[in-house]
Amino acid sequence: DQLWLTDYSASNGGININGVAVDENVVASFMEKLGASPYYGDVELKGISQLVINKVKLQKFTLNCRATQPAN
């Protein structure tokens, strides 16, 4: 496990996701996978900062995206 979601909220088609990851590359990969999903669009990184927990450096991040309806 390299990424953990700490908050997920949705309102009026907009989605806010907060989480923690082992590094920036994991966050970038998660964003790419969300963007490739038919259920999410317009994935945007709103912020990222370093967080230290038990002497382990992690990346705390916030993303915004929108819910989309997959085409049939």
Side-chain angles (χ1 to χ4, degrees):
D1 296 342
Q2 297 184 343
L3 184 141
W4 302 267
L5 299 184
T6 59
D7 185 59
Y8 182 102
S9 60
S11 177
N12 297 323
I15 299 171
N16 296 319
I17 300 172
N18 296 320
V20 177
V22 295
D23 61 36
E24 297 92 342
N25 293 330
V26 173
V27 176
S29 176
F30 178 65
M31 291 176 65
E32 288 175 6
K33 289 176 183 175
L34 271 182
S37 167
Y39 299 100
Y40 297 94
D42 299 330
V43 179
E44 181 180 354
L45 180 66
K46 295 309 266 184
I48 191 165
S49 61
Q50 189 174 54
L51 175 69
V52 179
I53 298 176
N54 295 330
K55 300 182 182 179
V56 176
K57 293 180 183 177
L58 301 169
Q59 298 300 316
K60 181 179 177 182
F61 65 89
T62 300
L63 304 176
N64 286 350
C65 58
R66 64 178 176 80
T68 59
Q69 196 71 4
N72 289 340

